[in-house]
Amino acid sequence: MSNANHAPIPELYVSYESAQKLKVEAGELPSWDLTQRQVCDLELLMNGGFHPLKGFMTEADYDGVLDDMRLASGALWPMPINLDVSEAFAEKVEPGQDIALRDAEGVILAILSVTDKWVPDKAREAVAVFGADDLAHPSVNYLHHTAGKVYLGGPVTGIQPPVHYDFRGRRDTPNELRAFFRKLGWRRVVAFQTRNPLHRAHQELTFRAAREAQANLLIHPVVGMTKPGDVDHFTRVRCYEAVLDKYPQSTTHLSLLNLAMRMGGPREALWHAIIRKNHGITHFIVGRDHAGPGKNSAGEDFYGPYDAQEMVLKHQEEIGIEVVPFKHMVYVQERAQYFPVDEVPEGTTVLNISGTELRRRLREGLEIPEWFSFPEVVEELRRTSPPRAQQGFTVFFTGLSGSGKSTIANALMVKLMEMGGRPVTLLDGDVVRKHLSSELGFSKEHRDINIRRIGYVASEITKNGGIALCAPIAPYSATRRSVREMIEAYGAFVEVHVATSLEECERRDRKGLYKLAREGKIKEFTGISDPYEAPGTPELRVDTEGMDVDTCAHQVVLKLEQMGLIAG
Ligand code: PPS
């Protein structure tokens, strides 16, 4: 079992000549613009990374995967791989039809011969695959709020792989890796999956794993999609490259995997093992909390720390890959060495810096000791994450019409400009509706588009080191949450609920709109004839009823100071 089979794995690509012909023919077909996740899935379908899948799943495969992790053929497969599309697109497509699959630039990558079309029960999928229909799980949230309502399934004919402009030399298909191992005579290869920069604990773990398995080492990080909020892959790859010379050159290889992770814990670990098997690997490291999604909405872990290990161990023979299980690695001060947590010598001092603590130290520009990470890695991380007081951020005011959002935001803007250092942009509700969203009304759909536009602009400002102040009503929590995710990829998101009561807003009625709304002359008016979902846990709630504008704005300044976003 533990020696590699380096024969090529089947791919779904047609020959170069056929691809040229198909590309022309496919121009006539209905075409679907793939999402970022779908491009990742398609690449691994086409290059054999998802073998034995031959396309996006049919309904029978999907049901089998949900119920007992098996395709209709009986093969083990734990993760649904679906082409989710909008209802509008699904209406135009019937089983028996071919559709062209295009990347974001319109390039045709493949043809899907549709055999199945169905509307999935997403709550059932969430429970079966992720263990709970809980929106705190990033993939459950994606499933409900980003994925299309209809699934299409059927075989895929590959025309060309997605183009990558970054780190081209570090990306390998399963067959390229197999050929590389064959060429070097690597019969035993242990793979390390990661979505984090490599610190000393990881290096120690990979050294030990390679020793234990008497195998060569493949560092196989995911660069497709990882958990929202992770260190971006450009920074991570620079970090990996910075420490590569600390590994024995002749027995170590770094290769990037364009996988879209689902953070599905045990099922995901099994999926990772199958993907690694397809890449010609013989041994797979599964550590603590593999592909863990963090806490659920009750504040508890979704999965037990070693559930993923158990799951892969149970199926390792069937997959044909050997698990190298690892306990959490910790640093023992007296020995100046890392140990698995269950092998720490008695009476010694254990040092540990959690991911959260590391982020805090980076944010605040504090020391990160050499026992924890390599100076080269820390330097790269500091380049990407300067201390918070030098980063961009967004303050997002939400509240009823007339609650005082704009007035407080204006006062805050002036205070921030007085301090200087970073450019400040105010995206006020009314101003945005004039300049960005003039064609939109107040239906749920239009409000969502409006808020997403604001979120997009704010995320660009944040990314480029500026301060964005937003002041729309933003009545829906799900939309505010997705804006938060967009922005937190680049900097802090500070939600401020301007909690003026409806009675008070109506009493003030500064624009005379409440009167018109009560008379039915304005439809879908927030608070009167349209909902407002108040934030449950905003960073700050301000009460304008007992406080003047200056004090409210000052409260925000204090909050920003407390969060380290402005120097105290
Ligand atoms: S939303 O829901 O976030 O997209 O709304 P927003 O872009 O902030 O726009 C709200 C301003 O538009 C005026 N207005 C209405 N508000 C709510 N409901 C209805 N039907 C409506 N029609 C017009 C209103 O003046 C809001 O301004 P503010 O500054 O919030 O008082």
Side-chain angles (χ1 to χ4, degrees), residues 46 51 62 76 107 141 184 229 238 248 251 278 290 329 336 381 438 440 447 460 509 513:
M46 294 194 294
H51 178 79
Y62 171 79
L76 184 68
V107 177
N141 184 46
L184 295 191
R238 290 197 299 271
T251 57
N278 289 337
H290 190 106
M329 300 290 291
L381 293 177
S438 56
L440 298 180
R447 286 181 197 261
E460 286 294 306
D509 203 5
L513 295 175

Side-chain angles (χ1 to χ4, degrees), residues 399-403 405-406 428-430 432-433 441-442 446-448 450-451 454 471-475 511 513 522-526 530:
L400 295 168
S401 169
S403 55
K405 304 180 295 290
S406 313
D428 190 25
D430 280 339
V432 168
R433 282 202 171 257
F442 289 89
H446 276 192
R447 286 181 197 261
D448 280 354
N450 182 41
I451 300 308
I454 296 175
I473 298 180
K511 299 181 188 163
L513 295 175
I522 304 181
K523 304 266 176 277
E524 299 176 311
F525 195 84
T526 308
D530 221 50

Side-chain angles (χ1 to χ4, degrees), residues 2-215:
S2 46
N3 277 344
N5 168 12
H6 291 148
I9 197 150
E11 299 187 348
L12 305 181
Y13 293 112
V14 291
S15 69
Y16 178 77
E17 289 73 25
S18 310
Q20 300 314 305
K21 248 180 66 202
L22 273 181
K23 232 191 254 183
V24 177
E25 289 168 22
E28 308 277 307
L29 298 174
S31 72
W32 173 252
D33 296 336
L34 297 159
T35 62
Q36 193 192 350
R37 180 196 274 195
Q38 291 167 346
V39 171
C40 293
D41 286 353
L42 180 64
E43 177 170 354
L44 285 161
L45 278 171
M46 294 194 294
N47 70 19
F50 283 175
H51 178 79
L53 299 189
K54 295 194 172 55
F56 287 100
M57 283 181 182
T58 62
E59 191 170 2
D61 282 337
Y62 171 79
D63 283 336
V65 167
L66 260 53
D67 293 342
D68 52 15
M69 304 199 298
R70 295 207 176 258
L71 302 171
S73 65
L76 184 68
W77 189 274
M79 197 55 73
I81 305 295
N82 300 108
L83 189 75
D84 57 287
V85 299
S86 63
E87 283 169 307
F89 181 77
E91 267 171 33
K92 295 190 282 187
V93 179
E94 286 310 323
Q97 212 174 342
D98 284 356
I99 61 171
L101 302 179
R102 295 175 190 260
D103 70 9
E105 277 148 34
V107 177
I108 300 178
L109 303 181
I111 292 175
L112 171 70
S113 303
V114 180
T115 57
D116 293 50
K117 169 170 118 172
W118 74 102
V119 176
D121 173 349
K122 292 192 175 174
R124 169 186 168 226
E125 180 177 332
V127 173
V129 180
F130 301 111
D133 189 18
D134 183 339
L135 292 175
H137 192 297
S139 289
V140 174
N141 184 46
Y142 184 97
L143 186 62
H144 286 295
H145 293 129
T146 308
K149 285 205 161 56
V150 184
Y151 287 176
L152 301 179
V156 157
T157 306
I159 294 180
Q160 67 171 76
V163 179
H164 298 289
Y165 297 105
D166 56 333
F167 308 114
R168 292 171 71 116
R170 297 255 183 231
R171 295 172 185 266
D172 302 289
T173 67
N175 281 328
E176 282 167 347
L177 270 188
R178 284 169 175 244
F180 175 79
F181 298 151
R182 194 165 53 235
K183 187 168 169 185
L184 295 191
W186 285 14
R187 299 190 58 74
R188 294 164 72 90
V189 185
V190 59
F192 181 59
Q193 136 85 34
T194 183
R195 43 171 264 268
N196 288 308
L198 286 180
H199 300 300
R200 284 192 195 266
H202 302 113
Q203 193 201 35
E204 184 57 32
L205 185 151
T206 51
F207 278 169
R208 280 178 180 244
R211 266 200 312 266
E212 270 174 36
Q214 295 180 51

Side-chain angles (χ1 to χ4, degrees), residues 155-329:
V156 157
T157 306
I159 294 180
Q160 67 171 76
V163 179
H164 298 289
Y165 297 105
D166 56 333
F167 308 114
R168 292 171 71 116
R170 297 255 183 231
R171 295 172 185 266
D172 302 289
T173 67
N175 281 328
E176 282 167 347
L177 270 188
R178 284 169 175 244
F180 175 79
F181 298 151
R182 194 165 53 235
K183 187 168 169 185
L184 295 191
W186 285 14
R187 299 190 58 74
R188 294 164 72 90
V189 185
V190 59
F192 181 59
Q193 136 85 34
T194 183
R195 43 171 264 268
N196 288 308
L198 286 180
H199 300 300
R200 284 192 195 266
H202 302 113
Q203 193 201 35
E204 184 57 32
L205 185 151
T206 51
F207 278 169
R208 280 178 180 244
R211 266 200 312 266
E212 270 174 36
Q214 295 180 51
N216 303 282
L217 174 67
L218 179 75
I219 304 172
H220 209 196
V222 169
V223 294
M225 289 168 77
T226 62
K227 197 174 150 195
D230 279 350
V231 176
D232 70 274
H233 82 266
F234 297 103
T235 307
R236 280 192 290 118
V237 177
R238 290 197 299 271
C239 288
Y240 304 136
E241 288 178 335
V243 294
L244 214 47
D245 64 359
K246 313 214 180 292
Y247 284 88
Q249 299 296 299
S250 59
T251 57
T252 307
H253 184 61
L254 167 66
S255 178
L256 310 179
L257 180 66
N258 197 41
L259 174 71
M261 288 180 72
R262 315 297 211 248
M263 309 314 301
R267 274 191 184 232
E268 175 122 5
L270 200 54
W271 185 41
H272 287 178
I274 297 172
I275 295 167
R276 270 34 184 246
K277 170 73 186 175
N278 289 337
H279 282 77
I281 284 142
T282 55
H283 295 71
F284 185 50
I285 301 172
V286 185
R288 182 181 170 276
D289 195 26
H290 190 106
K295 306 272 183 216
N296 66 18
S297 50
E300 289 151 12
D301 288 336
F302 274 92
Y303 315 114
Y306 298 104
D307 288 3
Q309 257 176 27
E310 275 169 33
M311 174 71 104
V312 192
L313 279 166
K314 209 162 104 193
H315 294 92
Q316 59 175 350
E317 267 168 50
E318 184 174 355
I319 302 172
I321 200 165
E322 224 171 277
V323 179
V324 184
F326 261 94
K327 288 275 191 254
H328 185 44
M329 300 290 291

